[in-house]
Every structure is written in C-alpha cells, then in structure tokens.
Amino acid sequence: MLLTLLVSWLLLCPALAEQPAPAGAEAYGHTARDGGLDCVRDPCSSVMPAADSFEAVEGKPYLEGLSGDDLVGWVVLSTDLVDIKGYSGQPLSTLIGLNTEGVITGARVLHHSEPILLIGIPEQRLHDFVDLHAGMRGDERVVVGQSSDPDARTVDIVSGATVTALAESRTIMDSVTALGQDVGAIERRVQTPGHFVATEELLSWQQLLDEGVFGRLTVTAKDMGATGDEYLNVSGDQLFMDIWFTVADSPRVGRSLLGPNRYAHAMSQLAPGEHLVVVLGQGASTFKGSGFVRGGLFDRIRLTQGLAVVMFHDLDYTNLGGLDAEGAPEFKEGALFVARGGALDPGRSFELVFLGSRFDNKGGFSRDFHSFTSTHRLPKSVYVLDGPDPERALWLQAWRNKRVEVLVVGLWLLSLVAVFAGRRWTTADGARLKKLHTGYLIFAFVVGGLMLSAQPSVTQILTFVDSLVGGWRWGLFLSEPLLFLSWIFIAVVTLIWGRGVFCGWACPYGALNELTFKLGRLLKLPEYELPEVLHSKLRYLRYAILAGLIGVYLWDPMLGERAAEIEPFKSTFFVAIWTREWFFIAWWVALASLSLVMYRPFCRYVCPLGAGLAIPGSFRLSGPYRRDFCSKCKICTKTCEPRAIRPDGSIDPRECLSCMECEANWRDDQVCPPLVKARRDRERAAK
Ligand code: SF4
Ligand code: SF4
C-alpha cells in the first residue's frame, strides 16, 4: 500500500507543479512584472474605488485618482518607492491607494515569490492580511503581532509566514508614508525621532572608517562605457569617480573632519531641519562639474530618500580644501553642502546619486550619461534613534514577536539535551524511561506541532543547499525563530547522539506517528512488519527521495518545493487538512492509517528529512551502550521497534531512534543476561 501510494505521488509531482496558482494569485497575476504602474493592466480601481479615472503625474511614479474632475487620491506600486525584501529575498509588489485625507483606501499584492505561501498556506491569508491595512492613516504606527506601545495599531501575524507578513506590512506603510509626504496628504516628519551623538572627541580617519561613517560610490571607466573615456585618459577598471559622503552634524564627525572652528561656524549657519553634508571625490572625473558655476546648481550629484530629493545650489556650498582628521588622505575635490528644506532624515538610509557623463566620441559636445547610486545609513555611533528602528531587520522583529514561543521551545529542547546528557539517570529505570519518552512525544506533537508549528522540514535542507550554491543569507535562516532553534538543536544532538534524539523524541510528525501506533496497540489492532528482505531494501528509499528532491529543487525550486510535500507536515500542522486538494488528503489519511498498524512507516521508509539527518548521524559520537554478549542475545533486537540492531548486536545509527530502551536493558540486572547472572552469583555468594 505504501509503495502504491509512493508511486502515485511521484507520478503526481509534475502535475502538482502545473497546478494553477492559488485563487488569489490567479486573480492578481503571478508572473513577474515588467515596467511600472499601468492602470490599463493593473487593477487600480480595486484599491481606489472612489476614482473613475487615473492620470499620470509628470516626473512621479504615482498616478492621480479622479472622480470626474475632482482629485480623490493617488495610487502607487510599492516597488517604485521602496525595496523591502520578503522571505524569498524578492520584494512583494503591492498596489496601494491613498486618499487626499492620508487614509489608505486599499492594497493588493500583484506579484510575489514567497515560497511558503505558494506551497502551503492559503494565498487568501496574505490578501486578508493586506486588507487589514485599508482604512488606516498613512502616518499610523503599525506593529505586526503584539506591541506594548499604546499608540501603535496592531495587526495579526500570518501564522507560519511571519517574515512575509512583516515585509508586506512594512512595504505598505513605508510606501504610503513616502507617497503621502510627497503629495502633502501626510505631514512631512523632519526626522525619525533621534539625535546626533554629542561627544566632542576627535576621531582619526581610520576610526571614522572603522565606524562606517562614510558612504562610498565608486564608478570605473568600464562602468561608464565599454571603451572608457579617452578624453579623461581612463579605461577598464581605473576609477572614473570615487565619492565618499556623510552627514557631519555630529561633533564626532564634523569636528574631526572640519576642525573645531570650521565646524562651529558651519553649524551656526544651519536652520532647524538642515544638515551638513560632506562629499569628497577622487578619480578622473569630478562630482562638482562646471555647470553649477553657470546655473548655480550642482547637477552631477544629489541625495534621495524615498520620493524626497535634495539638490545642492551654489549657496549651499563651501569648498572643502583639506581634512583635519589625523591620517586623512588628500582628496582631489571636497565640498561641504547644506541639505535644506528638511528633506533629509538622518535617522534613515539615504542615497547619493551621481550622474556621470563622458564625451562619446560622436563629435562636437555629444555626451553619454550614466546614473549611479550608493545607499548609506549613519551608524549608531553618530546618530542614535530615540524609538524603535523603522528599518530594523525583519528577522529581528520576528524574534521579538515570538519571544514567548522562543522561550518555550528553547526550554523544551534544552531539557531534552539534559535527558540525554544525564542518560545514566534516564536509563536507570525502564518504566520511568518509557513514561518520560511518551511525555516528550505528546509535548512534541501537541505543543511543538499543533500549537507552535515548530516542524522542521526537508525544504530547509533544500534552502540550505540552494544557499550554498547561490549565496548565503543569514536573514533567511534567522527569519523563522522556532525553526532556527530547532535546527541548532538538531545539528548539535545529531553529531553527539545521532538523529534519534530529534526523530525519536522531538519531531512533531514523528511523535504523531509513534503515538498513533501506540493507540493501535491500545485498541489491539493487528501489527504488520515488512519481511526482512523487503525492509532491508526499502529503508534506502528515503535517501533516493532526498537525492531526487535536491536535484529537482536545483533544477526548478518551485517544482522542488511542491514535490517536498511528500512530507505530510503542512497538512498536519500548517493548514487544515480538509481545505487541501484530494491527493494531499489521501496521502495523509493513508500514512495515518498505516501508522495505526505499523511502527512509523513514514519515518523508516519515506522521510527525506530523516534521511538528511541520518547521514551526519552515522558519525555520532555516542550511541546506546553495548557489550560483547549482545551479539548472542536477542532480547533488545526483538523489542527495538525501528529494527536498528544488527544480527551481530551492533546498532545501525541511521536506523536508531534513540528510544534508549536497549540501554535501559543493558543496565537492568533483571533483564540483561550477563547482569542477571552476575546478580544471581552475588546473591548466591551472599547466602
Ligand atoms: S523520520 Fe522524518 S517524520 Fe520521522 S521523526 Fe524523523 S524527521 Fe520526523
Ligand atoms: S532499542 Fe533500538 S531504537 Fe531504541 S535505542 Fe536501542 S537501538 Fe536505538
């Protein structure tokens, strides 16, 4: 039966990949998007029902929504304003409407690449989550999950897709803030609450670099065009432009760079909301250019922050000849600018944009223009935020939101480490060991699985392999705190005691399998075991499945993710089973039924995750204790449910699920024949 089901599964896999995208995705178009906002193609009215037409605004990425001739609001595509990455490392492209009162009129996800949503959690949950933002003011403080801040508005997390929810909420709120401030519907905040560090110590050039005070933008001749610039006599990797830039309001930076007098004078000229910007240049070209002399405007550099743009005029400029900081190199050119108009928020990231131009050898004054951008954020040693960081890493927020769950899972797994570290006590009493084991199985299933969804999966092995091939991303692994903790636990215990500590005691689905089998026994159902010849071959099947999944995943991650649903974990812990397609239900029911009459059939023959753990577990440092006599005695062999004890009495670490019953026997002078004999000898001698 298991084999028939497996074959059907493998046949179904290609079909699964061709399944239509979930309902929401179909409706919103799940293909990657080209170009910007287009209300002929994009459903603008769905996020701004009050508008009957939409008109472009010159030079802006958003459109005006009109009812007749009256302006009712604006619509914008988030990816035109912010770059916030989700779990997949790609942004969630969201269409958002904002009315003239600064209230969000609607939001819809047009495209995303979030794997969790595509394969397990219903798409509708994301759309429901997005809908929660409609009706909020664009300048409200929105917190996903719980918050102790009485002024914050909270929205419920999407369980199992924490990072996706955090990224989507931040995408919506940051987009409407930028849009609302640009159109005047939301008051422009002068800066994120915070302050420049006021200490007067003087830093050397090296200390400034070590603290990350400067942003840097380098442009090579090759970046400017294949042949370089003959006029400036640079080519290939030679520097066309090398720009260093920072905000110098903090005395730590300003006094160090400008010297006390120049700094004091420059600061005395600033009006509220204005900031000092230092720009230094090396390379063949110039960031100042000569145009400003004629037009009064520095047209080669500007700062941008969201939709805000800071341009520099000659009245904002002071020539910066040399730097005071000890060890500072000589720069070809330097400028001290004043960023006016309150447009620059020093508490958030900003970009320096350089517009490079070179003669293109087409004759006359014909030039070639290229634009380059570098993002910078002032370090904490220069600017300290007074409240929560609006750009805090999403994974940090996920850990904050789940601190109670992290504590519960952390204590649970640590206690399990203690059970194995203190195995002399654990295995000293067979009856106590059984009760302890059953208790851990119930906890793993009920709390770890049903309540916390802390079920590791082979998809994390696939992501791990993918990261090794395609580039490591810590944020991805840290973004699911409970799974991250589980994997740290798995890595440690597997190398010390083998995969059985996780599989035999802590895996929520494994626990369900074993508890189901115990229930079958309680109900006195018949029990089945495969004949040895079949068992010894079939136990390698899971390795083949794992290898196949890795191959498929590297070839097509989407297909790999769906094929990984051979693990029935999502149907068990993430999604209500009755809401799933028939083949997921059939697979789940078949495995559950089989588990009633056979000990852990999925774990022993199919589970690719178990296979992935069994490989490093082969090298475990310590397994259950054995003695020479074990090769003759079959007491433990008969009671070892996973059939992990070989005919010679040794233990196969890949099969052992660390129930530790054989070690309890090994210690028991009522069970283990050499100990029984020794005890009897002792008793006889005593008599
Ligand atoms: S074999 Fe798979 S399902 Fe079974 S306990 Fe191990 S990881 Fe869990
Ligand atoms: S009885 Fe079997 S599964 Fe349990 S610890 Fe011993 S060898 Fe491992």
Side-chain angles (χ1 to χ4, degrees):
M1 177 167 148
L2 185 67
L3 261 180
T4 321
L5 276 163
L6 253 176
V7 172
S8 339
W9 182 268
L10 294 174
L11 289 174
L12 268 171
C13 264
L16 292 181
E18 284 154 23
Q19 285 290 307
E26 246 179 354
Y28 303 142
H30 237 290
T31 50
R33 296 174 46 81
D34 298 320
L37 181 55
D38 173 2
C39 284
V40 176
R41 176 187 58 179
D42 299 323
C44 296
S45 353
S46 69
V47 298
M48 183 156 289
D52 48 37
S53 64
F54 296 91
E55 274 183 18
V57 182
E58 203 185 326
K60 302 288 184 184
Y62 48 81
L63 304 182
E64 284 180 344
L66 302 169
S67 171
D69 288 337
D70 297 334
L71 176 71
V72 289
W74 302 266
V75 290
V76 74
L77 200 56
S78 62
T79 35
D80 287 335
L81 293 185
V82 295
D83 182 23
I84 295 164
K85 297 191 169 45
Y87 186 85
S88 61
Q90 301 296 322
L92 291 99
S93 178
T94 309
L95 182 65
I96 308 162
L98 185 75
N99 71 15
T100 48
E101 310 291 309
V103 174
I104 300 170
T105 53
R108 289 180 83 162
V109 178
L110 298 189
H111 171 254
H112 70 78
S113 312
E114 302 297 277
I116 294 178
L117 288 154
L118 292 175
I119 56 167
I121 296 162
E123 182 87 9
Q124 190 54 41
R125 280 213 220 151
L126 175 64
H127 300 300
D128 293 345
F129 174 79
V130 168
D131 288 344
L132 296 175
H133 295 76
M136 288 183 181
R137 281 200 53 80
D139 50 5
E140 262 183 277
R141 229 174 82 59
V142 176
V143 175
V144 179
Q146 293 150 1
S147 168
S148 52
D149 180 351
D151 298 330
R153 177 112 159 227
T154 55
V155 284
D156 277 348
I157 212 129
V158 180
S159 167
T162 319
V163 170
T164 303
L166 290 170
E168 178 56 19
S169 186
R170 192 182 282 180
T171 296
I172 296 173
M173 297 317 292
D174 282 10
S175 299
V176 292
T177 304
L179 168 64
Q181 290 183 349
D182 198 60
V183 297
I186 295 174
E187 196 184 331
R188 187 179 291 283
R189 276 180 240 125
V190 174
Q191 59 184 50
T192 308
H195 58 272
F196 284 101
V197 175
T199 52
E200 302 274 315
E201 71 182 303
L202 291 177
L203 302 181
S204 67
W205 178 256
Q206 191 54 48
Q207 285 171 310
L208 290 166
L209 294 189
D210 292 345
E211 289 191 10
V213 166
F214 285 99
R216 191 174 176 190
L217 173 65
T218 52
V219 179
T220 62
K222 197 158 72 189
D223 297 331
M224 285 298 297
T227 54
D229 191 317
E230 294 81 19
Y231 178 75
L232 292 174
N233 199 21
V234 284
S235 60
D237 290 331
Q238 287 178 309
L239 282 175
F240 180 83
M241 196 67 237
D242 182 11
I243 301 178
W244 300 63
F245 59 100
T246 189
V247 176
D249 293 30
S250 165
R252 297 188 86 227
V253 177
R255 285 180 89 242
S256 306
L257 284 175
L258 309 176
N261 294 339
R262 261 195 302 181
Y263 170 71
H265 175 72
M267 288 300 286
S268 69
Q269 306 294 308
L270 293 184
E274 295 181 346
H275 300 289
L276 289 183
V277 177
V278 168
V279 184
L280 306 162
Q282 300 279 37
S285 186
T286 162
F287 68 78
K288 291 183 185 173
S290 53
F292 87 96
V293 180
R294 293 191 296 272
L297 179 73
F298 287 81
D299 57 355
R300 294 194 180 186
I301 53 164
R302 63 182 188 276
L303 302 182
T304 61
Q305 202 169 35
L307 285 174
V309 180
V310 179
M311 305 284 292
F312 299 116
H313 295 81
D314 48 5
L315 290 177
D316 311 325
Y317 162 74
T318 309
N319 182 44
L320 196 54
L323 298 174
D324 268 37
E326 184 199 323
E330 242 183 66
F331 282 88
K332 192 175 135 190
E333 54 183 350
L336 179 63
F337 291 115
V338 177
R340 299 198 196 274
L344 180 66
D345 178 352
R348 304 196 70 148
S349 306
F350 60 96
E351 295 91 37
L352 181 133
V353 183
F354 170 66
L355 184 68
S357 75
R358 54 177 281 272
F359 288 109
D360 58 10
N361 301 326
K362 288 185 184 154
F365 292 101
S366 175
R367 279 173 171 268
D368 209 11
F369 289 93
H370 297 264
S371 179
F372 303 91
T373 301
S374 170
T375 303
H376 182 53
R377 191 172 190 198
L378 294 177
K380 288 195 183 91
S381 59
V382 172
Y383 191 84
V384 180
L385 294 173
D386 291 341
D389 182 355
E391 294 178 19
R392 183 171 48 203
L394 292 174
W395 67 264
L396 264 176
Q397 211 171 324
W399 279 75
R400 234 179 107 85
N401 280 348
K402 293 213 164 169
R403 49 193 183 275
V404 176
E405 291 91 333
V406 163
L407 190 70
V408 172
V409 170
L411 289 176
W412 163 40
L413 298 179
L414 271 179
S415 73
L416 195 45
V417 170
V419 163
F420 275 80
R423 60 202 267 188
R424 181 185 281 271
W425 176 86
T426 310
T427 56
D429 178 341
R432 183 178 61 203
L433 173 68
K434 276 193 177 145
K435 281 187 204 147
L436 196 66
H437 188 201
T438 308
Y440 268 94
L441 290 176
I442 293 172
F443 190 93
F445 171 58
V446 177
V447 181
L450 293 181
M451 292 170 69
L452 301 178
S453 304
Q455 170 69 63
S457 153
V458 74
T459 52
Q460 283 116 38
I461 295 185
L462 300 181
T463 313
F464 179 79
V465 173
D466 192 48
S467 294
L468 291 181
V469 176
W472 192 257
R473 287 173 50 213
W474 270 112
L476 183 64
F477 295 96
L478 286 164
S479 61
E480 287 294 341
L482 303 186
L483 292 181
F484 184 79
L485 279 186
S486 300
W487 277 101
I488 296 284
F489 167 80
I490 289 170
V492 172
V493 296
T494 301
L495 290 175
I496 302 177
W497 296 296
R499 68 132 173 168
V501 183
F502 170 72
C503 285
W505 293 67
C507 171
Y509 187 77
L512 170 65
N513 258 221
E514 187 152 342
L515 292 171
T516 310
F517 183 65
K518 282 181 192 287
L519 177 71
R521 248 186 202 166
L522 215 64
L523 297 174
K524 300 207 170 11
L525 297 179
E527 290 176 22
Y528 296 101
E529 269 299 315
L530 294 180
E532 182 57 31
V533 60
L534 203 55
H535 164 76
S536 57
K537 294 200 169 53
L538 215 53
R539 65 188 177 171
Y540 294 108
L541 179 64
R542 58 180 195 240
Y543 301 103
I545 293 175
L546 175 66
L549 281 178
I550 292 177
V552 172
Y553 188 85
L554 290 177
W555 174 52
D556 177 352
M558 207 54 208
L559 180 59
E561 293 270 9
R562 289 192 74 84
E565 281 227 59
I566 198 165
E567 295 174 330
F569 302 163
K570 285 190 191 77
S571 306
T572 314
F573 301 117
F574 294 99
V575 198
I577 178 74
W578 54 88
T579 62
R580 308 222 65 197
E581 291 100 328
W582 67 267
F583 39 86
F584 291 123
I585 300 177
W587 179 238
W588 191 89
V589 171
L591 288 173
S593 317
L594 204 54
S595 302
L596 273 171
V597 293
M598 185 186 262
Y599 178 79
R600 292 194 184 219
F602 178 77
C603 300
R604 289 194 290 163
Y605 303 119
V606 184
C607 183
L609 173 60
L613 303 185
I615 296 166
S618 313
F619 308 102
R620 70 182 176 184
L621 298 176
S622 169
Y625 297 134
R626 310 297 288 156
R627 50 174 60 91
D628 291 345
F629 190 78
C630 295
S631 57
K632 296 186 210 114
C633 168
K634 300 291 171 209
I635 291 177
C636 295
T637 313
K638 281 185 200 133
T639 53
C640 175
E641 306 275 19
R643 297 164 73 172
I645 303 180
R646 301 185 185 106
D648 66 359
S650 66
I651 292 174
D652 182 344
R654 289 171 293 276
E655 301 300 315
C656 172
L657 292 182
S658 299
C659 68
M660 302 307 274
E661 284 182 24
C662 57
E663 187 165 316
N665 290 344
W666 180 86
R667 286 186 202 282
D668 195 337
D669 63 6
Q670 302 289 335
V671 176
C672 184
L675 298 190
V676 172
K677 181 174 177 303
R679 176 178 54 80
R680 286 194 183 139
D681 288 350
R682 272 198 315 273
E683 285 168 358
R684 260 197 298 275
K687 272 182 199 158

